[in-house]
Amino acid sequence: MSNGRGAVDDDPLVALASELTSRLADGAGTGGARNDLEPGRTYLVTGCAGFVGSHLVEALGSRGCSTIGVDAFTDNYSRAAKEHNLEHCSRHGDFRFVELDLAESRLEPLLEEVDAVFHLAGRPGVRTSWGPTFGAYVHDNVLATQRVFEAAVRQRIRVVYASSSSVYGDARVYPLGEDSALFPVSPYGVSKLACEALATAYALSCELDAVGLRYFSVYGPRQRPDMAFSQVLGCLAEDRPFGVLGSGRQTRDFTYVGDVVGATLAAMQRAPSGRVYNVGGGCEISLLDSLALFEELVGRRVVRHHVASAAGDAGRTIADIGKACAELGWKPTTSLESGLAAQIRAAAEHEAGRAVAWV
Ligand SMILES: NC(=O)c1ccc[n+]([C@@H]2O[C@H](COP(=O)([O-])OP(=O)(O)OC[C@H]3O[C@@H](n4cnc5c(N)ncnc54)[C@H](O)[C@@H]3O)[C@@H](O)[C@H]2O)c1
């Protein structure tokens, strides 16, 4: 991991860090056959009852892989919504669910059964990471991740883990490359950066085989209820105005969940050990412009009111995804228009009765 400020030649700590970083970046192996996602292999997906995790389980099932999914049903949103996500997991292939808290339960018995780990469990969300809830972020992001890494080192298996664009904060140069400066502007971003630092420490000192993925604003069917497009859908369904944070001119690199799953599978198969990749959709759009697109798709006006911008929300995110494209053979294929249409359709199907009017 680089801090992007350039090496100071005569600082021994900086020299050591840069030597170790380049050793890791040489990619000591790609983890071997157990990461090939061939039918018959078994993978652990943490956070399988979540938004992205449940899509990943479906993709693994449709490839003929078996999946053990774990989740703790944490309180960032309702258990009912997470149980609905789990129903999708059970529809595909050989799937077994274990309810446990990664920060508290013994993980070795689970990891003994699998070929590799997709670690997507975590506590997302920038705005709620201030104040007393930060303890939950430390528990679900830092401690849970450290325990997954410990167990993976013991089993000598690969971990592909979810990081976030929030590790960058407000940058001066865009698009954001993996070696851009890392100055998170929220406690959530700090907790994700801590996970990346843990991955580096365990790789350098204990030969952990880990690959980090910095997801950028994921959307699509079953998007978390606290995220913007889900909120807009909820407001339309209940005839409430949508609260636009600040001016609404802040931009995001929205990434369709199917593309995120594609990058995550490709990282398991092809990433050299120790790498971190941006996973972005490749198109930067302001919140206001995305609302206009939303209105076109649903054929209804989204009534809005402006509320104060939230501390910790970056003004702009746009990823340079060149490294993931070159090294993983992956690129996003879903336009915001078709991805949003899929999210709207799925919400309408789920909400059947009351949502029929949207489409
Ligand atoms: N959705 C995005 O836009 C986005 C962007 C960047 C990074 N990420 C990261 O991707 C991952 C998945 O995000 P998501 O949007 O699907 O979130 P989500 O909240 O829908 O899913 C995360 C799941 O992890 C589970 N979990 C949390 N702590 C746990 C613990 N200690 N033990 C077991 N299970 C636990 C939760 O119950 C939840 O079901 C997270 O790590 C998140 O930080 C997401």
Side-chain angles (χ1 to χ4, degrees), residues 51-52 71 74 76-77 82 101-102 140 188 192 218 224:
F51 163 43
V52 184
D71 206 289
T74 55
N76 62 326
Y77 57 97
K82 293 182 183 184
D101 187 329
L102 293 163
D140 292 334
Y188 166 65
K192 288 307 226 184
V218 191
R224 290 200 326 268

Side-chain angles (χ1 to χ4, degrees), residues 46-54 70-77 82 85 100-104 119-125 136 139-141 144 161-166 188 192 213-219 222-227 255:
T46 73
C48 67
F51 163 43
V52 184
S54 61
V70 306
D71 206 289
F73 296 110
T74 55
D75 62 1
N76 62 326
Y77 57 97
K82 293 182 183 184
N85 294 340
L100 61 73
D101 187 329
L102 293 163
E104 288 167 17
H119 176 47
L120 269 59
R123 184 165 290 257
H139 182 274
D140 292 334
N141 294 344
Y161 67 95
S163 183
S164 167
S165 59
S166 297
Y188 166 65
K192 288 307 226 184
L213 299 176
R214 293 177 184 156
Y215 296 159
F216 281 66
S217 305
V218 191
Y219 73 100
R222 311 202 293 277
Q223 190 190 40
R224 290 200 326 268
D226 59 295
M227 299 188 76
T255 316

Side-chain angles (χ1 to χ4, degrees), residues 6-18:
V8 181
D9 289 342
D10 55 0
D11 181 333
L13 279 180
V14 171
L16 177 66
S18 97

